Amino acid sequence: KISGTITYNGKSVPTKNGLELIALYQDSYQLHNSFKMKAVQDGSFTGLAFNGDYRMELVNGQGAFETSSESKKVTVKGDTEVTMEVTPYFFINSVTYQKTGTKIVVNANISQVSKTKQMEYVSLLISRVNICDRVNKDKEVKIPASSITDLSKISFTVDLNDWTSISCFVRIGVKSKSITEYNYSSVEKL
């Protein structure tokens, strides 16, 4: 078994649940097809592999980070833990949520890591269940990039007066121009 985490500077990079982000190749085997591992929303992934030497790569076009042609050599022997370092377009350094009545006050500190993409918007994703991303959500509130003057001090208030559930799960997503996927914070229950 091989398992691991997608990281940036040693910190976990949260993702959309179920994205096929990691490809594993065994070059010594006559069929050079890869098998892909799906990440869960905390940035971790798991796959079953025989003992042996493998080449691990990012799947091009998946995730909100720079595509890399570099591969990582991995030796699988029993249960093997690995990390896959990426360069996200944006990274959510910290985020806090304060719920008062029907309002949620969001404060976020975001860094632009890659200069290859421009921000389109920051959004608060809200869900009744703990799977929460750009597709699996009940509500999304977007703040256009043009309204943000300082990425390290983003603050906005969301009114949930139409919310009927007792609790909710939330996370921040950063949408870059010309790509589908977001950079995410971790999911939190309010």
Side-chain angles (χ1 to χ4, degrees), residues 106-151:
V106 181
N107 290 293
N109 176 333
I110 298 171
S111 295
Q112 182 170 3
V113 178
S114 171
K115 302 302 179 196
T116 62
K117 298 289 182 199
Q118 293 180 345
M119 179 188 292
E120 188 172 335
Y121 56 81
V122 172
S123 68
L124 176 65
L125 300 152
I126 306 164
S127 176
R128 287 178 171 76
V129 297
N130 67 344
I131 302 295
C132 183
D133 54 50
R134 67 176 182 79
V135 175
N136 302 292
K137 64 185 184 291
D138 293 298
K139 185 171 187 161
E140 180 174 13
V141 178
K142 298 176 183 177
I143 308 300
S146 60
S147 299
I148 299 170
T149 57
D150 185 349
L151 287 177

Side-chain angles (χ1 to χ4, degrees), residues 166-182:
I166 294 172
S167 62
C168 63
F169 294 87
V170 295
R171 78 191 308 192
I172 293 291
V174 180
K175 168 78 169 69
S176 297
K177 291 181 179 177
S178 76
I179 65 160
T180 304
E181 291 305 328
Y182 293 10

Side-chain angles (χ1 to χ4, degrees), residues 37-53:
M37 292 182 281
K38 293 182 180 181
V40 295
Q41 61 189 6
D42 68 357
S44 63
F45 56 88
T46 303
L48 295 176
F50 293 107
N51 289 345
D53 294 324

